Amino acid sequence: MEEAKRLGMNIEYVIDTHLHADHISGGRSLAQKSGAKYILHGSADTDYDFTAVEDGEELMAGNTKLTFLHTPGHTPEHLSTLVTDTTRGDDPWFVLTGHTLMVGDAGRTELASSLEEGAANLYESLEKITSLDDHIELYPCAFSGSVCGRKLSGKPASTVGFEKRFNHALQIKNKDEFINHMTKDVPPQPENFKETRKTNQGK
């Protein structure tokens, strides 16, 4: 908030990719303090009001266009955000993928649903992300060391094309094989993850 004030800018939107299970999000608090709109996917199960967005919905933030993609799997309400700099062109520049597609692997799927249901949803979401142009830069919310994935790289960014070639999870082209893969060697669950997610739901 101090940085926004120094720059003479307003915080208009605070976006959470999903309702987290490994930490208490500061997103809702920041939105309340700044007067910004707190954005989650419309399916988010909360006991508080938020600004709901749906798949394909767009928002303008100055010259930047945000296009929201519903990418369930890690959690049912998970969002990815496709970003376009309209001063340079109409095509998107990068995608913020949260805990859906990360550098090296995909996100775990059992913290908010069953392993199998989450994995089936994640398979479809990964197809949505990998249908984007190969040159689009990819910025996930976690990398090596996070409990939200397995074979994650220490590199915090990549491109859609590079991940299509080398990401471990994306080499599995059959949905049933993918579900089977995602249900093995699951990382340890975060401590008190159910209570943490409930807190982020306002429950």
Side-chain angles (χ1 to χ4, degrees):
M1 289 181 67
E2 291 177 358
E3 184 68 4
K5 184 178 180 180
R6 185 184 71 81
L7 294 170
M9 302 178 72
N10 295 322
I11 301 173
E12 298 289 342
Y13 307 110
V14 176
I15 304 165
D16 256 338
T17 55
H18 60 291
L19 297 166
H20 304 279
D22 61 339
H23 69 280
I24 305 299
S25 172
R28 188 158 52 112
S29 176
L30 176 59
Q32 291 171 345
K33 291 179 180 179
S34 64
K37 293 180 178 179
Y38 182 51
I39 293 177
L40 293 167
H41 184 259
S43 65
D45 177 17
T46 72
D47 280 1
Y48 52 80
D49 294 330
F50 59 89
T51 298
V53 295
E54 302 298 334
D55 186 63
E57 189 168 337
E58 297 177 352
L59 278 178
M60 292 301 299
N63 294 317
T64 302
K65 181 170 70 174
L66 308 176
T67 304
F68 296 104
L69 307 176
H70 185 209
T71 50
H74 179 64
T75 68
E77 74 286 342
H78 196 288
L79 277 176
S80 296
T81 306
L82 195 59
V83 181
T84 302
D85 179 356
T86 61
T87 66
R88 301 185 65 192
D90 295 329
D91 294 335
W93 170 19
F94 63 90
V95 61
L96 305 169
T97 56
H99 291 164
T100 298
L101 178 59
M102 294 180 277
V103 181
D105 209 343
R108 66 190 303 160
T109 62
E110 91 292 356
L111 297 182
S113 64
S114 72
L115 271 169
E116 293 78 9
E117 179 185 6
N121 288 333
L122 184 63
Y123 184 85
E124 304 292 338
S125 294
L126 293 176
E127 286 194 328
K128 182 181 293 187
I129 293 173
T130 55
S131 71
L132 300 171
D133 290 339
D134 284 356
H135 68 269
I136 291 178
E137 296 173 18
L138 184 145
Y139 296 93
C141 288
F143 48 93
S144 181
S146 169
V147 298
C148 289
R150 291 167 294 185
K151 297 184 178 181
L152 302 183
S153 171
K155 192 174 186 295
S158 185
T159 64
V160 170
F162 194 89
E163 292 310 301
K164 283 164 66 174
R165 292 179 62 190
F166 299 110
N167 187 291
H168 185 70
L170 297 184
Q171 305 317 302
I172 305 169
K173 306 301 182 183
N174 177 277
K175 188 173 185 178
D176 289 336
E177 290 179 12
F178 180 83
I179 293 171
N180 184 56
H181 163 74
M182 293 302 297
T183 58
K184 294 179 179 178
D185 302 320
V186 179
Q189 293 179 330
E191 187 176 353
N192 300 321
F193 73 94
K194 291 182 179 179
E195 291 76 12
T196 300
R197 182 170 166 87
K198 284 183 178 179
T199 298
N200 286 324
Q201 292 174 296
K203 294 182 180 292

